[in-house]
Each structure stands twice: as C-alpha cells, then as structure tokens.
Amino acid sequence: MIPRLRPAIGPADIIAAVRAENSVEDFERAFAATMEQAHAVAFPYGRTAQLLLMEALDLSGREIILPAYTCVVVAHAVVLSEAKPVFVDSEAGGFNMDLDQAEAAITENTGAIIATSIHGYPVDLDRLDAIAARHPHVIIIQDCAHSFAAEWKGRPVQKNGRAAIFGLNISKLMTSIFGGMITTDDAELATKLRDLRDHRLEANGGGVFKRAVYLAAATTALAPPVFSIVKRIADLGLIDRFVRYYDETLIDMPADYLVQIGRAEASVGVRQCAEYRNIIDRRRRIAAFYDEALADVCPEGRPPLVDGATYSHYVVRVDDPGDLVKAAAKRGIELGRLIDYCVPDMKAYRELASTQGPFDETRRLNASVVNLPIWVDQRQAERVVKAIRHINEL
Ligand SMILES: *Cc1c(COP(=O)(O)O)cnc(C)c1O
C-alpha cells in the first residue's frame, strides 16, 4: 500500500543519524543558509519553538490572530503562552486565512498575526505587508511548518515578518526526526531565544542509537510493502497511542516538549538541508502531474497550481472524502483527511472562546479536503491516479 506520507529519508540519512557527526549549531547554520536567513534556533518541536518565541516577544495576555484551518498545536502554543487565540476563517476558494477578516479582527490588544502558508500555498505577502503597515503594533509571525521556503511572487514567505516557525518531525516535508526551528534576521531576537531556550530546555541525554532506530523503523514502516501490514494494524486501533496527535478536549504539550534535540537529529537535519531543493522540485513535479492527470476526473476540486508553492500536501476537494478514502484504501492507496477539524469548533476551544466565527469556509474545507501521496515517484503517482480514475468510473 502507498502511504499518504513518507519522509525523504534514505539509508544514508540513517547512517548519518548513527554517526551523529553534526552538532545542533551545525544544523542551525545549515538551516539558516537554506532559508536565506541570518539566524536559525533549534527546538524539539515546532510548537516549543512557537511557545518560546511568543515568550521572547512578550505576547502573553495579548490577542493572537491565527487561522481556524491549521494544525491544532499552533493554537495550543498560543493558549499555553497565556495569550488569547482569535481565529479567522479561510479565504473563499483557497486554503489560507482570509486576510480581510484577519485585519478586521485587529484590536489595540492584538499582539501578533500568525500567517500560515497551509499545504505549502504561499500566503499573500503584498496584502500582509499592507496590513502590517496600517497596524505597526502587530507583529507578523510566519508559520512555515507546511511551506518551508514557499515563495509569494518570488519572495520567500519565511523572510517576511519578525520570525518564522518550522516543524521538523517525520511527517513534514523535510525532517530532522524530531525538531522545530525558528528563523529570523533579527540578531537581538535570536540571542534572546537562545538564552530562553538554554534556560528552559533540558539537554538531550544522548540516545543517538535510539533515535536512529526510530528513524529507520518509521521509514521502513512507511515503505509501501511494509505499510500494507502496518496499515492493517493501525486500522484495528492498536497503535492509536502513537499516531493520534491530539485530543478534542485537551490543550496540552507532549511530555518531552522541553527536551532539546541532539546530534542524531542535527546530523539528519544537515543532510536534509542539502536535499531541500531536490525534495521541493520532486513535489512540484508530482503536483503538476496530478493536476494534469486529474483534470477531467476532478475539474472543480483541484487546487490551482501556484508558482512558488512547495506542496507539503497535494489536496483535492471532493463531495464525499470519507468514501473516496475508503475506496482508495481498497486499491492500495492511502489518502489522508488532513485537517478535518476546525480548531475553534473543538471542545476545548469552544469552552475558551468568546464570540467568533462563522467559520463556514473552514468547515467546507474540513468536509471536502483529501490529500494524495505527494512524496512518491512518477510510477507511484501513476498508480494513485489510476486508482482514483477507477473509483470515479464506478
Ligand atoms: C506540524 C505543524 C506545526 C508544529 O510542528 P510540531 O513540530 O508538530 O510542533 C505548526 N504549524 C503547522 C501548520 C503544522 O502542520
């Protein structure tokens, strides 16, 4: 079975993890260079990075504007930094936050806007710049966990705003096994973040071999033939403990969110930085292939091909995503229901929010989006298309 996600990890990455030749500082330098930014500061998770960034920027008690259609952990980090989340609906016809509504949500107490280039579709930097110019008290933070170096009309999204957040776990477009990163061109902020991090995080207690084994095991589990078995086990609910990443009712962090990454992660991260361009090029090629190959099957629901998009996910919109996922699974293709929740509709957030919404566009996305495997090679992409065409003919 072809899984919906798989890291771009080969045997050389696993050897790099075991050898652990690079320091976390090496990884930070390589990452900053890849993102063309002056500073990069490493963390164990993207959410830990965000939490400490919000602390460094003194945002506690302030309102933080963020998309309703995003990974729930971003909202968790807002709440746990003692700031107040203000959710904004998605733009009609797209996936990113509606920037007119974001601007309308700004008050005197707004501390920041978290601008997310979801699925790798670049946020409109021209409109964001105009908002920032009209509201100079509002800090722009880029959430690049899906986009990495996506570009809006040739301008890399991560370079816009005060700082950018990245997540680097194995479900992301590039990975350091575990990890998160902040990039910024602001030297003072970078120093403050390092101090805060060194003060708050526990050192990694070694465990290089354990992390290398995890990486090897995860990569193997996501190889198509092995994955068929893993998937069967997962469908029985036997590994829910490991694969479910949120609970409707809780706003929390993983137990190890304050344990810093070590040399195994750093060494994989350095290699992935060197591979970054190839990873993106392949995703763009596969996205273009899907777009063309599915033109007649899915004339309405295909996302536009956007110059500068990095395709952390290739998503289509269909009427019955659940049915399609089931039918594709029968044909050996795992499709995903990525972000099938609207964060402010979740129990924990309903209890916490003041009057908000409506979130009609986000709910429409929740009820229609399916993500196709985008990590694949051309031959596997052809199998995916064949399966979808077949289902469509039934
Ligand atoms: C994954 C993700 C994050 C945070 O990354 P973690 O490392 O999982 O904490 C932030 N934003 C978005 C949109 C993400 O998908």
Side-chain angles (χ1 to χ4, degrees), residues 105-123:
I106 294 175
T107 70
E108 271 174 23
N109 195 35
T110 300
I113 294 179
I114 299 180
T116 310
S117 297
I118 209 82
H119 306 326
Y121 292 105
V123 63

Side-chain angles (χ1 to χ4, degrees), residues 29 38 68 117 119 230 232 234 238 241 244 246 259 265 274 276 302 311 329 344 349 363 374 394:
R29 271 191 295 276
S117 297
H119 306 326
V230 174
R232 239 171 273 162
L238 297 178
R241 230 151 56 75
R244 285 194 41 212
Y246 69 92
V259 182
E265 291 91 332
Y276 177 71
R302 279 154 34 258
Y311 303 101
Y349 284 91
R363 288 175 193 142
I374 179 84
L394 296 181

Side-chain angles (χ1 to χ4, degrees), residues 21 28 32 38 165 200 205 213 245 358 370 378:
E21 284 172 341
E28 290 177 339
I165 305 160
R200 295 279 294 282
V213 168
Y245 72 95
V370 169
Q378 177 67 26

Side-chain angles (χ1 to χ4, degrees), residues 9 13-14 17 170 177 210-220 268:
I9 289 289
D13 296 284
I14 292 159
I170 58 163
I177 321 178
K210 207 167 86 188
R211 277 149 199 262
V213 168
Y214 168 80
L215 184 63
T219 310
T220 308
V268 172

Side-chain angles (χ1 to χ4, degrees), residues 4-15:
R4 66 198 160 89
L5 302 169
R6 190 172 192 237
I9 289 289
D13 296 284
I14 292 159
I15 291 167

Side-chain angles (χ1 to χ4, degrees), residues 25-36 40 269-271 273-274:
E25 292 72 28
D26 292 338
F27 179 28
E28 290 177 339
R29 271 191 295 276
F31 196 85
T34 305
M35 296 301 149
E36 297 173 17
V270 167
R271 280 190 55 86
C273 286

Side-chain angles (χ1 to χ4, degrees), residues 44-50 69-74 114 116-119 143-147 165-169 171-172 178-181 245 253-254 312-313 338-339 341:
Y45 289 88
R47 63 198 91 171
T48 311
Q50 184 194 333
Y69 186 72
T70 191
C71 183
V72 67
V73 307
V74 179
I114 299 180
T116 310
S117 297
I118 209 82
H119 306 326
D143 177 355
C144 295
H146 277 199
S147 52
I165 305 160
F166 299 82
L168 289 156
N169 70 51
S171 75
K172 304 299 183 190
F178 302 102
M181 197 69 87
Y245 72 95
M253 288 273 163
S312 64
H313 305 87
L338 193 86
I339 318 192
Y341 52 79

